[in-house]
Amino acid sequence: MQKLCFLNTLRQASASGRIPVIPDIKCVSPKDGDLMRGRDPRAIACDLAAGGAPVLSVVTEGAHFGGSMDLLKDICRAVNVPVLRKDFIEEEADLDRTKEAGADAVLLMVSCLGEERLTGLYHAALSRGLTPFVETHTPESLRFALHRLKAPLIGINHRDILVLEKDDGNVSLTQQLLDGTVPLPDARGGGASPLIVAESAMHTPSEVRTAIRAGADAALVGTGILTAPDPVRMYQRMTRRAGLKICGLMSDADVDACLENHVDLCGFVTEYPVPVRWNLTEAQAAPLIRRAHNAGTRTCIVTGGSFSHVLSLAKKLKPDYVQLHFRETLEETVRICQALHAEGISLIRSVPMNPAERLAMFGTDSLADSLRMLDSSPADAILIDSRDAENAASGGGRILSEGNMTQKLRDTLRNLRSPLFCGGGITAENAAGIMALLHPDCLDVMTGAEDPHGRKDARKIRSILASY
């Protein structure tokens, strides 16, 4: 079977509903050291292609990244997906070697070549049937690639290749460059718009989704995939357009059901101010949180109440997130959030569907206005949840039926800068509909992942993940 064009394959992957993630096969990271740890990079490449990767990237630079042309040739022969060669390309002879090795695309870096030399190599690559992948790192280089070169495939490297990517770049560069700093051109002549790829410094699925939310069309990830215990599983998690939080975990078996399915966030209702059947004491929650953390999975405690209670609980349990889900006002939320940030803990703030409760918390009964207020606060994520302490146990409250999706609310959701979580009656049957309507960053599931006895069911979790 003949391979498709590198760029067209990425476009097709995007149309499939998954995030196009390009796994970057590199043996050594100048920042993180040996990435193979005795493993065969060729085998990892084959596993990733078999696991759904539409294209691959292979680093051939040897002195700093441990690559080689032999590695590129072997991988190109072994997989049936288009392959990008990443190296410090300097002359047309490098393009000939790239083509001979069987690669379909080649990296050209503005920072290393300058505009004039890159332009020459860009057209030389096209003449050889190679797709040029033009890498940028600054507003000036992105403006050149978009508006002067008119390249259809452009990367934004979050790190500086001139210092061998040893700097502490992060996804905020994509956010900065695509927030209007460098206007994107309209589709030219009715053709496709340029495909923007965020590169480097993304280690988690949420960081990949942040880049996509900022305006990137795809992501190129190396270290974050290669250092994961299961690179294929991590790759597959990174392609989801929304994460999955399973809440109300109460036992080792519940946690293991989540770990088995590589969910993004394990939630524990802990010392909640009013009785709910999922409520754990601090002593009960602590070993479960450790169990999830030891497996490399992020955790969240769902709680509420006074400033001192929430902060004390967070300091002792050290979750990755605290989810405020009670009656805290906006002022109390901000104060708690700032204190949690000092401890390295992020905050998720829930917004109730009840207008009277919103009025008491945020000074407005408008859902859209409440969301905008939280979006301007230090909160790290916002949760729209149709479930509360009164209706949760009975299965009441469904996010699809109670969302009151006015045009004002749709506009607000589309313009949120904060990650959006959605919860309330989510199941494998309606998850895709919620994704299509609300476009959340994460689905928050509790009873939809439970068996008739209230235990978390690994098969139901798998069904939810397969449904969106």
Side-chain angles (χ1 to χ4, degrees):
M1 186 182 298
Q2 187 174 4
K3 298 176 185 177
L4 294 172
C5 162
F6 189 92
L7 176 58
N8 288 343
T9 301
L10 281 179
R11 292 198 188 281
Q12 290 182 12
S14 181
S16 73
R18 292 273 174 166
I19 296 173
V21 175
I22 307 169
D24 190 30
I25 307 299
K26 57 183 177 181
C27 298
V28 174
S29 163
K31 183 177 177 65
D32 299 291
D34 177 19
L35 299 179
M36 288 298 106
R37 294 170 295 175
R39 300 170 299 173
D40 181 357
R42 300 160 185 80
I44 294 176
C46 290
D47 289 344
L48 287 164
V55 298
L56 293 172
S57 166
V58 178
V59 179
T60 58
E61 196 279 337
H64 304 286
F65 293 90
S68 69
M69 290 301 294
D70 286 339
L71 176 62
L72 177 65
K73 292 175 186 177
D74 289 346
I75 290 177
C76 287
R77 283 195 292 262
V79 301
N80 198 42
V81 300
V83 176
L84 163 71
R85 178 192 175 190
K86 285 183 66 181
D87 207 327
F88 296 98
I89 302 299
E90 295 182 341
E91 55 189 15
E92 291 194 22
D94 292 326
L95 301 178
D96 293 329
R97 287 188 282 271
T98 302
K99 187 70 176 178
E100 291 166 4
D104 307 88
V106 62
L107 181 71
L108 301 176
M109 294 176 275
V110 180
S111 59
C112 296
L113 293 169
E115 295 180 5
E116 184 177 350
R117 288 180 66 204
L118 189 144
T119 299
L121 287 170
Y122 175 89
H123 292 290
L126 290 175
S127 71
R128 289 161 170 79
L130 292 169
T131 299
F133 183 111
V134 180
E135 180 178 287
T136 67
H137 181 65
T138 64
E140 295 75 21
S141 59
L142 180 57
R143 194 173 292 113
F144 158 75
L146 283 169
H147 298 288
R148 293 177 56 191
L149 194 62
K150 294 180 170 52
L153 181 60
I154 299 171
I156 297 175
N157 196 334
H158 299 141
R159 290 185 174 139
D160 185 354
I161 192 63
L162 296 180
V163 295
L164 298 175
E165 300 182 353
K166 293 181 180 180
D167 55 325
D168 293 323
N170 57 62
V171 75
S172 65
L173 183 61
T174 288
Q175 295 172 302
Q176 172 194 332
L177 295 185
L178 298 182
D179 71 353
T181 301
V182 182
L184 296 179
D186 295 329
R188 295 178 293 275
S193 299
L195 192 143
I196 307 295
V197 181
E199 304 176 67
S200 298
M202 292 171 288
H203 294 86
T204 66
S206 63
E207 289 170 336
V208 170
R209 288 191 289 272
T210 297
I212 300 303
R213 187 182 185 90
D217 302 291
L220 186 147
V221 183
T223 303
I225 291 174
L226 297 174
T227 57
D230 187 332
V232 174
R233 288 283 191 178
M234 176 57 77
Y235 159 78
Q236 292 170 341
R237 285 177 59 196
M238 287 180 171
T239 67
R240 299 177 197 158
R241 292 201 176 267
L244 181 64
K245 171 175 175 273
I246 300 295
C247 200
L249 308 182
M250 300 184 67
S251 67
D252 286 347
D254 282 353
V255 174
D256 289 345
C258 293
L259 300 181
E260 176 185 330
N261 287 284
H262 301 270
V263 304
D264 297 272
L265 197 55
C266 289
F268 305 88
V269 182
T270 309
E271 298 195 5
Y272 194 70
V274 297
V276 291
R277 70 176 174 86
W278 300 273
N279 215 356
L280 302 173
T281 65
E282 174 196 318
Q284 291 170 325
L288 300 179
I289 290 173
R290 284 197 299 272
R291 191 179 189 90
H293 275 167
N294 289 342
T297 299
R298 294 187 172 190
T299 61
C300 173
I301 59 170
V302 181
T303 190
S306 69
F307 172 88
S308 59
H309 170 73
V310 173
L311 188 59
S312 174
L313 198 59
K315 284 183 175 181
K316 292 174 182 175
L317 294 177
K318 302 187 186 315
D320 297 286
Y321 291 87
V322 167
Q323 180 178 311
L324 288 183
H325 207 96
F326 194 48
R327 300 175 186 143
E328 298 81 16
T329 66
L330 181 62
E331 291 75 15
E332 291 168 333
T333 297
V334 169
R335 185 183 177 210
I336 291 171
C337 184
Q338 291 171 336
L340 290 174
H341 284 175
E343 300 296 323
I345 299 171
S346 299
L347 178 83
I348 303 168
R349 171 72 246 206
S350 71
V351 180
M353 301 308 299
N354 186 307
E357 293 181 5
R358 289 197 297 268
L359 181 62
M361 294 177 189
F362 306 111
T364 176
D365 61 3
S366 164
L367 178 54
D369 290 343
S370 298
L371 291 170
R372 279 196 293 269
M373 292 169 69
L374 279 175
D375 197 36
S376 298
S377 78
D380 300 283
I382 301 170
L383 167 65
I384 300 179
D385 197 351
S386 62
R387 296 280 171 93
D388 55 34
E390 285 70 35
N391 67 23
S394 63
R398 296 191 176 276
I399 191 68
L400 278 180
S401 61
E402 299 184 28
N404 188 23
M405 289 299 295
T406 63
Q407 187 60 50
K408 179 180 179 181
L409 181 56
R410 287 192 183 94
D411 291 342
T412 299
L413 292 174
R414 185 168 55 249
N415 293 318
L416 285 179
R417 294 172 300 173
S418 304
L420 176 68
F421 286 52
C422 289
I426 298 176
T427 65
E429 289 69 36
N430 64 21
I434 292 167
M435 285 294 301
L437 184 65
L438 301 178
H439 303 287
D441 297 276
C442 191
L443 298 178
D444 194 335
V445 180
M446 185 180 279
T447 57
E450 291 181 347
D451 66 18
H453 305 287
R455 298 171 298 211
K456 296 300 184 283
D457 187 328
R459 290 170 299 180
K460 286 194 172 185
I461 296 173
R462 278 195 294 276
S463 294
I464 293 168
L465 287 169
S467 70
Y468 69 92

